[in-house]
Amino acid sequence: MKLKELESCLQQVDAFEEPKILLEQYPTSPHIAACMLYTIHNTFDDIEGKLVADLGCGCGVLSIGAAMLDAGLCVGFDIDDDALEIFKRNSEEFELTNVDLIQCDMCSLRSHAYAKKFDTVIMNPPFGTKHNQELRYDLPASYKFHKKKSVDIKVDFLRFSTT
């Protein structure tokens, strides 16, 4: 799958209907998600056929993208039932069979049966770091207290390896 095709598909993924400030819910844009996943897949060969964890998966854009890139199985973990319901609808609309959802907080994840079996772990890009590949994230106003329509934020793509 080409980068533009992946991004186009990810534009169809529904995001948060009512993001929760206490959970700092910000959707990963289709552009950033596609760039991250395309790099992970094509540069590092860390998606196709792999068991992939999506930590703080939200509505599932990264999981869905990984599934489209032929992950063996992508498991999304999130604490929010509302986000997981949107994720479930999204995966059903794409007719994906290689995704699974688990409702939990990250603190309890280490005791989960899946915890030590993942080949690849993905999550939203960190904000405010100064390493590796830089991306731009046009963060739209998501909450009532946001005064600007959107803010352009630098984000970085980080890869950690145990080998």
Side-chain angles (χ1 to χ4, degrees):
M1 178 178 285
K2 295 186 178 193
L3 176 61
K4 287 290 182 189
E5 182 182 359
L6 180 60
E7 183 175 345
S8 177
C9 289
L10 295 180
Q11 288 174 351
Q12 299 171 44
V13 175
D14 292 333
F16 299 103
E17 293 162 0
E18 294 182 33
K20 298 174 181 166
I21 184 101
L22 293 176
L23 297 177
E24 296 185 34
Q25 292 176 325
Y26 294 97
T28 302
S29 74
H31 174 71
I32 287 179
C35 287
M36 284 176 58
L37 294 167
Y38 190 81
T39 300
I40 294 166
H41 177 66
N42 289 300
T43 303
F44 303 106
D45 193 28
D46 282 341
I47 292 184
E48 186 174 349
K50 307 287 185 184
L51 180 56
V52 178
D54 181 0
L55 304 184
C57 63
C59 301
V61 70
L62 294 176
S63 291
I64 289 168
M68 289 177 174
L69 293 171
D70 296 321
L73 177 65
C74 189
V75 182
F77 295 88
D78 205 289
I79 194 169
D80 184 29
D81 284 328
D82 295 331
L84 290 174
E85 185 58 39
I86 296 168
F87 184 148
K88 182 178 177 185
R89 285 196 321 255
N90 281 327
S91 61
E92 288 171 354
E93 286 176 20
F94 283 99
E95 299 179 356
L96 298 171
T97 58
N98 57 340
V99 294
D100 196 3
L101 315 170
I102 296 176
Q103 193 274 329
C104 71
D105 63 25
M106 294 304 110
C107 294
S108 66
L109 177 60
R110 69 175 178 231
S111 64
H112 198 279
Y114 276 126
K116 294 186 172 133
K117 298 179 182 177
F118 290 103
D119 300 306
T120 304
V121 177
I122 56 177
M123 59 189 293
N124 280 340
F127 299 100
T129 60
K130 302 199 183 312
H131 306 284
N132 289 343
Q133 180 181 351
E134 180 182 297
L135 297 169
R136 309 281 309 170
Y137 184 178
D138 185 30
L139 184 65
S142 302
Y143 302 103
K144 291 179 183 178
F145 66 85
H146 287 163
K147 301 202 184 315
K148 296 181 181 179
K149 186 175 178 178
S150 67
V151 177
D152 193 38
I153 297 174
K154 291 180 185 180
V155 296
D156 292 301
F157 177 69
L158 304 173
R159 181 177 187 265
F160 302 94
S161 176
T162 59
T163 57

